[in-house]
């Protein structure tokens, strides 16, 4: 701990001690002022309260507050100084792998093709079922089951 920090710590203890002493004096003075104003029958109590606030309560609060604040800041400085400083990690530069040259060739083959012939339309024939009498369209030369009774229907054509 350096001389400056020791002096600040000593100063903070003096402020706190004066604040505590002034707090006792303000309590004693409050009791005395209360007794005097009650015996004299004076109704000027607001002037006495303002005098107590500015002469005793406000300075008491300030002494205690700043004494504590100085000690807290010193403690934080000492904690920060006692912790080791982390060294930054060295930065590693990663080189990308060398790129290989790729040779591309485009080959275009022109092939003449004939258009495909249009598909022939299948001729459908209406066939009557021998089992139930229902009619169904069936492609010529193929057979299909009846939708109602399942009997085989064959179109001749």
């Amino acid at each position: 701990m350096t001389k400056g920090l020791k002096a600040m710590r000593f100063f903070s203890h003096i402020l706190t001690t004066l604040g505590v002493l002034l707090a006792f004096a303000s309590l004693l003075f409050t009791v005395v002022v209360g007794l005097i104003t009650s015996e004299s029958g004076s109704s000027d109590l607001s002037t006495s309260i303002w005098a107590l606030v500015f002469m005793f309560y406000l300075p008491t609060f300030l002494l205690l507050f700043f004494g504590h604040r100085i000690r807290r800041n010193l403690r934080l400085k000492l904690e920060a100084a006692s912790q080791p400083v982390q060294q930054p990690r060295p930065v590693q530069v990663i080189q990308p792998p060398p790129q290989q040259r790729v040779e591309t060739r485009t080959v275009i083959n022109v092939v003449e093709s004939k258009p495909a012939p249009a598909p022939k339309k299948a001729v459908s024939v209406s066939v009557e079922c021998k089992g139930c009498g229902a009619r169904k369209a069936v492609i010529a030369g193929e057979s299909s089951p009846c939708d109602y009774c399942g009997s085989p229907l064959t179109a001749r054509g």
Side-chain angles (χ1 to χ4, degrees), residues 16-33:
T16 305
T17 305
L18 287 175
V20 170
L21 290 175
L22 193 58
F24 286 127
S26 64
L27 288 174
L28 180 66
F29 192 73
T30 302
V31 171
V32 169
V33 167

Side-chain angles (χ1 to χ4, degrees), residues 29-40:
F29 192 73
T30 302
V31 171
V32 169
V33 167
L35 291 175
I36 291 173
T37 55
S38 66
E39 286 180 5
S40 66

Side-chain angles (χ1 to χ4, degrees), residues 12 15-16 18-19 22 58-68:
S12 73
L15 288 177
T16 305
L18 287 175
L22 193 58
L58 185 64
T60 299
F61 169 76
L62 292 175
L63 288 170
L64 291 172
F65 175 76
F66 284 111
H68 173 71

Side-chain angles (χ1 to χ4, degrees), residues 14 26 39 41 55-56 65 70 78 85 113 122 127 134 138 145 153:
I14 288 177
S26 64
E39 286 180 5
M55 288 177 59
F56 291 105
F65 175 76
I70 291 171
L78 289 174
V85 178
S113 63
V127 179
V138 179
L153 303 173

Side-chain angles (χ1 to χ4, degrees), residues 33-80:
V33 167
L35 291 175
I36 291 173
T37 55
S38 66
E39 286 180 5
S40 66
S42 172
S43 63
D44 194 19
L45 187 60
S46 64
T47 307
S48 302
I49 291 174
W50 283 110
L52 288 173
V53 166
F54 285 112
M55 288 177 59
F56 291 105
Y57 301 147
L58 185 64
T60 299
F61 169 76
L62 292 175
L63 288 170
L64 291 172
F65 175 76
F66 284 111
H68 173 71
R69 185 173 176 183
I70 291 171
R71 275 196 311 282
R72 186 191 63 190
N73 289 341
L74 288 175
R75 183 184 42 134
L76 291 176
K77 283 181 185 179
L78 289 174
E79 286 177 3

Side-chain angles (χ1 to χ4, degrees), residues 86-125:
Q86 294 181 355
Q87 297 294 329
R89 294 182 180 177
V91 177
Q92 295 179 354
V93 178
I94 300 174
Q95 297 291 333
Q99 293 185 356
Q100 297 177 354
R101 185 174 177 178
V102 178
E103 187 174 319
T104 58
R105 292 185 187 182
T106 305
V107 177
I108 299 175
N109 291 332
V110 178
V111 178
E112 290 184 26
S113 63
K114 295 179 184 177
K120 293 181 182 179
K121 283 189 173 183
V123 178
S124 64
V125 179

